[in-house]
Amino acid sequence: MSVETDSHGRLYLSSELRKKYGEKFHVVEYEDRLELIPIDEDPLKAVREAAGDAFEGKSIEELREGAREQAKEDAEAGFERGKHPAEGGDE
C-alpha cells in the first residue's frame, strides 16, 4: 500500500487502517524511512498488560531503585565499550 501527503503535508489513512490501528501514532524518524507506531487509547493499560505481573508486590520506591541501578549498569557498560587505550599507552 502506498499513500501520499496532500499539499499541507497531511497523510490520510483508510478507515480500514484507522479501525485496525487507531487514530493516534508516534512518528519515528530513521535515516532512510519513517514509521508510524500506533498509540493505544489507554497507554497505561497497554503497559500493564504487556508487563503482566512482573511488578506485582513491588513498591514504587523499589521500582525506582531498580530502574536507577539498571540505568547505572547500562551507562557504565556503554562507557566501557567506548573507552580506547591512550595512544602510546601500555594498555
Side-chain angles (χ1 to χ4, degrees):
M1 167 189 302
S2 65
V3 294
E4 295 180 16
T5 59
D6 68 9
S7 62
H8 296 282
R10 293 176 291 212
L11 184 69
Y12 292 94
L13 301 176
S14 69
S15 61
E16 234 176 58
L17 288 175
R18 291 192 315 272
K19 285 177 188 172
K20 184 174 181 178
Y21 295 106
E23 295 189 6
K24 291 185 177 185
F25 298 86
H26 286 289
V27 177
V28 181
E29 182 178 358
Y30 297 97
E31 272 187 39
D32 61 341
R33 68 184 185 281
L34 296 174
E35 286 189 13
L36 297 177
I37 310 297
I39 298 173
D40 199 290
E41 286 183 26
D42 185 352
L44 189 54
K45 179 181 174 188
V47 169
R48 286 185 182 128
E49 289 173 357
D53 61 357
F55 304 120
E56 196 161 323
K58 293 190 179 187
S59 70
I60 299 261
E61 190 51 44
E62 289 173 311
L63 294 173
R64 281 188 185 128
E65 184 58 32
R68 284 186 197 111
E69 289 173 16
Q70 186 63 54
K72 182 179 176 185
E73 289 174 20
D74 292 348
E76 289 171 351
F79 179 73
E80 289 299 319
R81 280 193 305 271
K83 282 173 83 176
H84 298 289
E87 288 183 30
D90 293 334
E91 292 182 54

